[in-house]
Every structure is written in C-alpha cells, then in structure tokens.
C-alpha cells in the first residue's frame, strides 16, 4: 500500500502533539494524513476520544491507517467495536500503562485497562526501555495479546519531542516499510 491509497489518521495522546512532534511532522508531509482532533486535549474522556476516532474511521472513503501515540493508543483500542469501515493497519508508539495507579494525571487511568482481544488488523507497537509512562514489559504483554509486532526502541524515553524525537527518521523508515506491506 502507498500513502495515497489510504487515509492516515494521526491520533495524538494527552495534551496533543506540538509543532515539533514527529506526528505533526508526518501529518504535514503525508498528503492523505489528518489529525483526529479532540474536544478536550488536557481533560480527556475515554468514551469521547474513542467516539471521535470511530467517527473519523467511519467517515473515511479509503482504507484507514492509524498512527497513534501514547494515550491515543488505548483510545483506538476502545474505539475498535465502533469501526464500520476498513482499517488496513495501526502503528502504535509508546503505549502508556493506563492501569498503573502511579500514572499522572490520575484521570488517565479511566482509559484502562486495555482490551486484550487480538486486533482485527495488522499492527506494530514501538516501545522504549525507559518510557516514564509505561514499561517495556507492559508494552510486550499488550502487544502480544493483540498480535502486534513489538519493536524495541531502546532507551528512547516517551518517543516524543521531549525525548529528542522531533523528526524521528528511524520511525519514518519503520512506518514506510509497514505501510508497504499493508493490503489496500
């Protein structure tokens, strides 16, 4: 699949992805990419976020490729039962452990726990060994339950601007290879 064959939905996490974040850069570079906007970026409500994602998937006129970061991931997973259109694949980066009582802010726990059913589409999960919002072991566990290919990003923090992942060329290469293997 080529990028032009799909609608690429960029799904940021808590507080959105800023201008230097890799998701924003991808959105600007990929002609068929668009951000799923949420009404409340700093006070997320699980059902509202999941409904917005489902709305965008269901309005798509092409197969959808989801690109979710952080809190965008549990939002996607909770939205799956509402999908009526084809999702060709999902690219998940830095899944937070939303069932961890130590997560801050506390209301992010309302996004957990993750459903553990196998996903109805191919996916890749990229996780860091030192992500402050979720352990690598947690990412390995949920990716395994979903049937998602787990990629070890090493010591990459939360794979966001603060951890030095603005352009993130390695992520771009992995996404391009993943996209090329998807069926329209």
């Amino acid at each position: 699949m080529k990028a032009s064959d799909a609608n690429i939905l960029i799904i940021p996490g808590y507080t959105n992805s800023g201008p230097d974040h890799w998701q924003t850069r991808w959105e600007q570079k990929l002609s068929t990419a668009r951000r799923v906007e949420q009404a409340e970026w700093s006070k997320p409500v699980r059902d509202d976020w999941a409904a917005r994602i489902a709305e965008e998937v269901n309005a798509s006129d092409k197969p959808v490729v989801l690109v979710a970061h952080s809190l965008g991931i549990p939002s996607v997973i909770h939205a799956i039962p509402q999908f009526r259109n084809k999702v060709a694949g999902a690219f998940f980066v830095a899944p937070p452990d939303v069932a961890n009582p130590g997560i801050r802010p506390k209301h992010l726990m309302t996004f957990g726990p993750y459903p553990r059913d196998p996903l109805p589409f191919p996916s890749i999960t990229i996780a860091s060994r030192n992500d402050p919002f979720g352990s690598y072991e947690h990412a390995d566990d949920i990716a395994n339950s979903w049937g998602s290919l787990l990629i070890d990003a090493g010591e990459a923090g939360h794979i966001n601007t603060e951890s030095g992942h603005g352009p993130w060329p390695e992520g771009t290469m992995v996404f391009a290879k993943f996209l090329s293997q998807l069926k329209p």
Side-chain angles (χ1 to χ4, degrees):
M1 174 180 282
K2 297 181 288 202
S4 60
D5 297 329
N7 282 326
I8 299 169
L9 297 182
I10 305 291
I11 304 164
Y14 177 63
T15 71
N16 202 349
S17 294
D20 293 327
H21 194 285
W22 61 268
Q23 280 189 312
T24 303
R25 293 167 184 252
W26 290 13
E27 179 184 5
Q28 292 166 348
K29 285 183 183 175
L30 297 165
S31 64
T32 61
R34 69 179 184 277
R35 183 176 306 240
V36 175
E37 293 291 342
Q38 298 291 352
E40 288 291 336
W41 287 110
S42 61
K43 292 195 185 271
V45 175
R46 183 180 93 180
D47 291 345
D48 294 349
W49 277 36
R52 276 292 300 128
I53 293 165
E55 184 180 316
E56 291 290 337
V57 167
N58 295 336
S60 181
D61 58 349
K62 296 179 184 178
V64 172
V65 176
L66 305 166
V67 178
H69 179 256
S70 193
L71 197 62
I73 299 168
S75 302
V76 165
I77 301 299
H78 289 294
I80 291 171
Q82 301 172 52
F83 293 171
R84 292 187 309 276
N85 282 349
K86 179 180 169 81
V87 172
F91 190 81
F92 297 141
V93 180
D97 184 352
V98 288
N100 179 351
I103 197 167
R104 296 292 179 268
K106 276 277 204 217
H107 69 272
L108 299 183
M109 283 186 68
T110 62
F111 283 73
Y114 285 96
R116 300 180 62 82
D117 299 325
L119 299 180
F121 42 76
S123 66
I124 285 181
T125 301
I126 299 178
S128 165
R129 294 276 177 176
N130 63 340
D131 188 334
F133 300 105
S135 71
Y136 185 81
E137 293 72 25
H138 172 262
D140 184 35
D141 180 51
I142 58 171
N144 186 50
S145 72
W146 298 335
S148 183
L149 173 65
L150 180 68
I151 296 180
D152 185 343
E155 304 257 329
H158 195 49
I159 313 176
N160 59 5
T161 308
E162 290 76 22
S163 64
H165 296 85
W168 197 33
E170 302 87 354
T172 303
M173 292 186 304
V174 173
F175 180 69
K177 182 172 171 75
F178 175 64
L179 193 62
S180 74
Q181 295 172 341
L182 297 178
K183 307 269 187 268

